[in-house]
């Protein structure tokens, strides 16, 4: 499998964190199906896609078009099919300006079959879903709270809006 995605580069890490990051990256990449890899142009397949930017609330057009988003008190972060990296580096898909968050803290893989999974990528402080530290790929459900250090994000699915579920883009994160 080709790895042309600069978001998954580990040269900035010292050993043994570099080895931990590479192991997590391998698990993440092997979790991608062929359709998901093709849909994510930055993985070296398909057309190149532009980066995702956070959208100020309320009713940002990009967040309305996305099937899945992350939300905090100030921003809506639309997620695209494929790999969505989260961390403090400006080339992440979701950039969180907090010195305690790792450069590449975690990633959300959005599959073409409309399910999503979160994986920590060897962050120093870990990634939590609903106050439980994750130790591998973790399937996300609408309303799940993702915690990175002191940053709380809510995972929201537009699919629940269509099917009559309780989660919506107007949900407030407490």
């Amino acid at each position: 499998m080709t790895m042309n995605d600069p978001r998954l580069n580990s040269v900035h890490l010292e050993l043994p964190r570099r080895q931990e990051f590479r192991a997590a990256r391998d698990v993440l990449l092997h979790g991608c199906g062929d359709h998901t890899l093709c849909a994510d142009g930055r993985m070296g397949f398909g057309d190149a896609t532009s980066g995702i930017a956070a959208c100020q609330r309320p009713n940002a057009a990009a967040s309305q078009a996305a099937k899945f988003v992350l939300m905090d008190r100030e921003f809506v972060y639309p997620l695209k099919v494929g790999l969505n990296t989260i961390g403090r580096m400006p080339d992440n898909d979701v950039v969180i300006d907090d010195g305690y968050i790792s450069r590449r803290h975690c990633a959300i893989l959005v599959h073409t079959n409309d399910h999503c999974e979160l994986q920590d990528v060897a962050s120093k402080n870990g990634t939590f879903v609903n106050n439980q530290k994750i130790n591998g790929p973790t399937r996300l459900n609408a309303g799940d709270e993702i915690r990175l250090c002191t940053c709380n994000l809510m995972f929201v699915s537009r699919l629940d809006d269509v099917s009559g579920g309780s989660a919506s883009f107007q949900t407030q994160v407490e």
Side-chain angles (χ1 to χ4, degrees):
M1 171 180 315
T2 328
M3 201 279 299
N4 295 330
D5 194 331
R7 298 170 299 165
L8 299 178
N9 189 323
S10 61
V11 295
H12 65 280
L13 297 172
E14 299 293 326
L15 293 173
R17 281 204 54 230
R18 182 182 304 167
Q19 293 168 320
E20 293 169 4
F21 180 92
R22 288 177 177 174
R25 177 184 66 199
D26 289 346
V27 170
L28 184 64
L29 290 175
H30 284 90
C32 297
D34 292 339
H35 294 286
T36 303
L37 286 173
C38 287
D40 188 346
R42 288 183 286 188
M43 298 301 293
F45 304 90
D47 297 332
T49 59
S50 61
I52 295 176
C55 301
Q56 284 279 357
R57 278 195 218 157
N59 299 325
S63 67
Q64 293 302 318
K67 289 182 182 179
F68 304 101
V69 298
L70 292 178
M71 297 170 55
D72 63 16
R73 290 180 183 262
E74 299 178 49
F75 298 102
V76 174
Y77 304 93
L79 301 174
K80 62 169 179 58
V81 171
L83 184 67
N84 298 270
T85 58
I86 304 169
R88 72 173 193 264
M89 294 288 289
D91 61 343
N92 283 296
D93 297 299
V94 177
V95 178
I96 301 178
D97 188 21
D98 181 329
Y100 292 106
I101 292 177
S102 296
R103 294 174 190 171
R104 302 273 186 254
H105 199 97
C106 60
I108 295 178
L109 184 58
V110 177
H111 293 278
T112 55
N113 65 359
D114 292 333
H115 84 268
C116 302
E117 57 189 22
L118 173 69
Q119 182 171 334
D120 185 87
V121 283
S123 67
K124 277 190 177 180
N125 297 310
T127 302
F128 296 78
V129 174
N130 300 325
N131 292 319
Q132 298 293 314
K133 187 174 184 177
I134 65 170
N135 294 313
T138 302
R139 189 168 184 152
L140 291 171
N141 298 302
D144 280 348
E145 182 183 316
I146 300 168
R147 183 168 49 88
L148 318 172
C149 303
T150 61
C151 175
N152 292 315
L153 300 166
M154 180 176 287
F155 177 75
V156 180
S157 169
R158 184 176 190 81
L159 302 176
D160 288 340
D161 290 341
V162 174
S163 65
S166 60
S168 76
F169 287 134
Q170 302 308 313
T171 304
Q172 297 296 315
V173 178
E174 298 299 328

